[in-house]
Amino acid sequence: HIRILQLTYAAQLADSVVRLGKAGVLDCVTDERRALRLASGAAQAARMGITEPAAAFTTSAELFGCADWTVALDGADGLAAGDGMDSTEGTSAPDGLGEAGATAPTGADAEAAPAFTVTAHTCLLCALVKRSGGPSPCRLYCLDPIEAMVKGLDAEAGFDVEETLYDGAECRVRVGR
């Protein structure tokens, strides 16, 4: 039943991207949503029980069933979604909503997370949008929300999108300082 919900959700997101593109407002909506997401990334990560930047990718993959993110830490073998990259014990408020005003630690208060590269070779949302002839959904519905959580956990983290499945053979993002 969960997979049916994931497929339905991806189809609705694909439809909205196609419609926003046809209306000529996709870039504006993407920019506005990105700013809002970056302001609330720490709270979103807390609500999802995410405590490490890499888990923003793997937890999203598990929850939404869309991109098959694999994490490679400093030349180590990749870890796929569900391979223990995230620890969710004791990470959110008792109501499960996290702190609305939560902010990421910075400077000396932030422990530097190891640099890593994530790749995805399949993405349901991207495939649906491409099949419909729509514009890239990557920033609006995937990369920007994940970036917001990564930066919510480590405000100084870099987030370099090297390639997306919409335009290339894989989605590849480098995260580090």
Side-chain angles (χ1 to χ4, degrees):
H1 293 23
I2 296 296
R3 189 64 184 152
I4 292 170
L5 289 172
Q6 291 171 332
L7 293 168
T8 302
Y9 183 65
Q12 291 302 309
L13 294 180
D15 181 65
S16 73
V17 166
V18 170
R19 291 174 186 273
L20 290 170
K22 284 181 181 176
V25 297
L26 179 62
D27 290 340
C28 179
V29 170
T30 299
D31 291 344
E32 289 176 7
R33 293 295 303 152
R34 183 172 192 274
L36 292 169
R37 286 177 172 134
L38 286 171
S40 62
Q44 180 64 27
R47 281 191 295 275
M48 292 177 69
I50 296 170
T51 60
E52 302 173 14
F57 292 90
T58 58
T59 301
S60 294
E62 291 170 13
L63 181 62
F64 299 111
C66 204
D68 65 340
W69 293 114
T70 300
V71 179
L73 301 170
D74 292 335
D77 290 335
L79 295 173
D83 285 346
M85 283 301 301
D86 59 330
S87 171
T88 59
E89 281 188 43
T91 58
S92 62
D95 63 4
L97 298 177
E99 296 178 40
T103 58
T106 59
D109 295 334
E111 183 178 322
F116 59 91
T117 300
V118 290
T119 56
H121 293 94
T122 62
C123 175
L124 177 61
L125 176 59
C126 194
L128 290 170
V129 171
K130 285 175 100 170
R131 193 176 316 154
S132 300
S136 173
C138 304
R139 295 295 325 191
L140 180 61
Y141 289 128
C142 184
L143 297 170
D144 287 353
I146 291 173
E147 178 184 18
M149 289 187 285
V150 166
K151 291 187 174 188
L153 295 168
D154 181 353
E156 296 177 18
F159 192 92
D160 183 28
V161 178
E162 297 174 351
E163 183 178 0
T164 68
L165 276 165
Y166 189 84
D167 296 314
E170 67 180 5
C171 195
R172 186 176 52 255
V173 180
R174 173 115 171 99
V175 177
R177 287 191 176 201

